[in-house]
Amino acid sequence: MDYRGLFEDAIDTLRKEKRYRVFADLERVAGHFPRAIFRDSADNAREITIWCSNDYLGMGQHPDVIRAMQETAAKLGTGAGGTRNIAGTNRPLVELERSLADLHRKEAALVFTSGFVSNEAAISTIARLIPNCLVISDQLNHASMIAGVRQSGMEKKIFRHNDMAHLREILEAAGKDRPKMIVFESVYSMDGDVAPIEEIADLAEEFNALTYIDEVHAVGMYGERGAGICEREGLMHRIDIIEGTMAKAFGVLGGYITASQPIVDAVRSYASEFIFTTALPPALCAAARASIEHLKSSSEEREGQQRQAQRLKEILTEAGLPVMPTNTHIVPVIVGDARRCKAASDMLMEKHNIYIQPINYPTVPKDTERLRITPTPLHTDEMLFELRDALVKVWNVLDLPMHTDTSQLTAQALNSGDLVLPTNGG
Ligand SMILES: *Cc1c(COP(=O)(O)O)cnc(C)c1O
């Protein structure tokens, strides 16, 4: 067996399909975000502007957050020193879980290594503990939720993205007596659209189903205290399990769930992904808590972010660029072809020092390849205009479509029938 050749072939397949991923080597400079030092393949360094970070509010460089991490590491050391059960449960982690439960007004919270792990562990464990559970999952759910559903081994049904008539059909077919869990997201991060949470909660009540929401792209960003879309819409108490991350708007690392005490206690007690791994380090927990607590009382970052996102949408749309209309902080600009999407991204970096990673299949459906732009409150108006000018130049050089109707693009691509997304998000 030619093992080396086998892996080379696997990689070649990706290259041929224009799906081979190249990572940008970045050195973010605290205090100057969204500026960063980029090093090309020859290790030549230059300054660029990042336009695709999930550090949506720039909290990764907030002085309180950096200070919490530094001071805690100096006092408590680096690692946690063990699993949660064996010497790893550190004081800042306990305080972090309290802060998260308070954020979502739930009885308890549980922290995991990442948002990915929290979804996989919590969905699979909760579904497995419910006899004959039917898991009902939105078509565009993130790869980590799909992993959780698979891992549970329970029967699953997928409803068309945000389609409440289809969800009702599935619930009716299952009947009121069968145990069910509906899993979905609040903000879908590639199209920037939002789930009809209240309708889902109503249906869940009517059909006696448990509800599990991923608010990863909404925590820190929406609601009076930054608890997400459920908080903004007064619906936190109507959702059984709320999942989030500390790696995006909170600017650090780690994932979590919040729920009733018995649900959290059950996941704590049964989920291997939680039990058999080292706890998060104290410095990281302290930094995450500093960020969460800051955003509970400060709306300045959220408002600045919303303002710049809205401005950018207007500026790009006015210039004729194919911006997908969204009600959220995400600004997708459609290219519709994998090769040209990569070419546009390369040209932005090489000629304009602007970094926007191309988003291709399987993260989004084919023909909806895009540049996914995430402005932060730290992107100045001047930067917005720089970006517009660079995009218009690239669009002209590559002869990319302008003035196209992008409002129904994902739905069309999905309904063309050739795929259910294997992985999305991130
Ligand atoms: C990024 C993401 C996750 C994973 O969170 P991490 O903390 O980065 O592991 C989960 N769900 C969605 C929808 C995401 O986009």
Side-chain angles (χ1 to χ4, degrees), residues 54 56 113-119 140-145 185 187-190 214-217 243-248 253-256 372 424-426:
N54 283 336
Y56 294 129
T113 313
S114 73
F116 192 106
V117 174
S118 64
N119 271 333
L140 287 188
N141 275 344
H142 187 260
S144 56
M145 304 172 79
E185 300 181 25
V187 175
Y188 288 84
S189 76
M190 290 300 149
D214 173 319
E215 287 245 46
V216 159
H217 290 279
E243 184 269 348
T245 185
M246 293 166 290
K248 292 176 182 171
L253 184 76
Y256 65 88
R372 173 185 178 271
N424 81 326

Side-chain angles (χ1 to χ4, degrees), residues 196-385:
I197 302 171
E198 186 165 23
E199 284 176 72
I200 293 177
D202 288 346
L203 282 170
E205 202 172 295
E206 185 181 339
F207 289 91
N208 199 17
L210 215 54
T211 44
Y212 182 109
I213 196 168
D214 173 319
E215 287 245 46
V216 159
H217 290 279
V219 291
M221 303 286 291
Y222 299 92
E224 207 183 312
R225 298 200 309 160
I229 302 282
C230 289
E231 182 191 26
R232 186 185 74 185
E233 300 184 358
L235 297 169
M236 286 199 289
H237 63 291
R238 299 203 55 204
I239 302 294
D240 296 295
I241 302 113
I242 300 178
E243 184 269 348
T245 185
M246 293 166 290
K248 292 176 182 171
F250 292 129
V252 189
L253 184 76
Y256 65 88
I257 59 162
T258 62
S260 68
Q261 207 275 333
I263 289 180
V264 168
D265 205 10
V267 175
R268 185 186 73 87
S269 308
Y270 282 96
S272 300
E273 299 91 333
F274 175 81
I275 298 171
F276 299 105
T277 192
T278 299
L280 283 188
L284 206 145
C285 296
R289 186 164 75 100
S291 180
I292 293 161
E293 290 300 326
H294 176 85
L295 289 174
K296 277 181 190 172
S297 58
S298 168
S299 290
E300 192 187 314
E301 293 82 4
R302 281 188 279 283
E303 283 161 12
Q305 200 284 334
Q306 293 291 335
R307 186 180 60 238
Q308 292 314 78
Q310 189 52 38
R311 271 187 198 156
L312 182 64
K313 284 185 219 172
E314 285 164 14
I315 291 169
L316 299 188
T317 305
E318 222 165 82
L321 290 154
V323 180
M324 231 169 138
T326 71
N327 293 319
T328 58
H329 58 282
I330 292 159
V331 185
V333 180
I334 299 297
V335 179
D337 171 82
R339 191 181 48 77
R340 296 205 291 170
C341 193
K342 171 85 168 65
S345 167
D346 288 346
M347 195 175 287
L348 284 168
M349 189 70 125
E350 280 155 27
K351 298 260 189 304
H352 304 280
N353 293 324
I354 282 173
Y355 171 46
I356 310 174
Q357 190 68 19
I359 309 280
N360 286 344
Y361 175 83
T363 304
V364 295
K366 282 184 180 148
D367 304 327
T368 75
E369 291 83 357
R370 67 195 67 181
L371 301 176
R372 173 185 178 271
I373 306 174
T374 52
T376 72
L378 301 165
H379 287 89
T380 61
D381 286 351
E382 197 187 331
M383 290 177 187
L384 302 185
F385 290 115

